[in-house]
Amino acid sequence: METPQRPDRGPDRHTAPNFAPDTDPNSVPDAAPNSVTRAVPDAAPSAAGGAPPPVDRPLAGRTALVTGAASGIGRACAQALAAAGAHVHVVDRAAEAAAEVAGAIGGTVWVADLSVPEAVDALPADADIVVNNAGLQHVAPVHAFPPERFALIQRVMVEAPFRILRRTLPSMYERGWGRVVNISSVHGLRASPYKSAYVVAKHALEGLSKVVALEAAEHGVTSNCVNPGYVRTPLVENQIADQARTHGISPEEVVGRVMLQRSAIKRLIEPDEVAESVLWLCGPHTGHITGTSLAMDGGWTAN
């Protein structure tokens, strides 16, 4: 049972040391909570009625759940949603970084391993807004791709979003309002060699998003994907360094000649730019936008 607590002394932390697999860094969560508690913000006006929220805080009274929220895109999304008035559940495996984010925005931290179904099913079910962002990458040709790594990527990037939405959609339906934003990728629309698991997972996330859009429309809930190209995140920075060492070229050459070869705009996307698109999709004037994929790829898919 969820136990409300006031977050007067900083963010609550929910952890258990039982689940800590050796997984890739960045946004893959690590430790699952044993007990489930929820922090209720001091001033959380009802989203179902009463006076409309102020223009500068359009999400006042709403609750958001963001996975992979300790860094990169997820962190930027958590910050943007909180600034707009939402109370944010910060979900990540990186306990200290997640606690730092939650503390800065007045949110609630959940340390959880999204590859473990029991950990996913212990996350809160009361979110008005869900941002499925957590992910990881592994690069190898199909014939040499480790099956266990392929399966892990599907659990984190496909099964976990499904489980989260399966739990959160009923409460959205009851309130007659909800926003699902799935952080997909240009690889949810196009393929690249050596990234079979990631491409498969992002294509599956696109399909899940569209199914939710069709099922949830009558309940006032929208579901969309945001599809960035290469974003300046720890995951991408690690890829740049790895490719620079492998090919014996500078990091700048990796970005310009390899990563952005197909992009018309020759720079990495900043996490804040992705977060602004997520915030816009959660705003008051996008209730008729659902089942879409918003490409933020610098013209990549125009080729």
Side-chain angles (χ1 to χ4, degrees), residues 21-44:
D22 181 18
T23 56
D24 284 355
N26 193 37
S27 55
V28 182
D30 231 7
N34 276 335
S35 61
V36 181
T37 61
R38 178 170 60 90
V40 180
D42 290 329

Side-chain angles (χ1 to χ4, degrees), residues 235-295:
L235 188 69
V236 170
E237 297 284 5
N238 289 338
Q239 290 183 50
I240 293 171
D242 288 343
Q243 291 201 35
R245 285 192 297 269
T246 299
H247 299 292
I249 58 178
S250 69
E252 292 75 18
E253 289 177 294
V254 171
V255 174
R257 288 170 45 190
V258 180
M259 291 185 167
L260 301 182
Q261 181 181 14
R262 294 167 62 178
S263 297
I265 299 175
K266 301 297 185 182
R267 69 169 179 84
L268 296 177
I269 303 164
E270 299 299 330
D272 288 349
E273 295 178 277
V274 182
E276 286 299 320
S277 294
V278 172
L279 181 60
W280 177 71
L281 287 170
C282 296
H285 304 299
T286 54
H288 216 73
I289 299 175
T290 195
T292 66
S293 299
L294 177 61

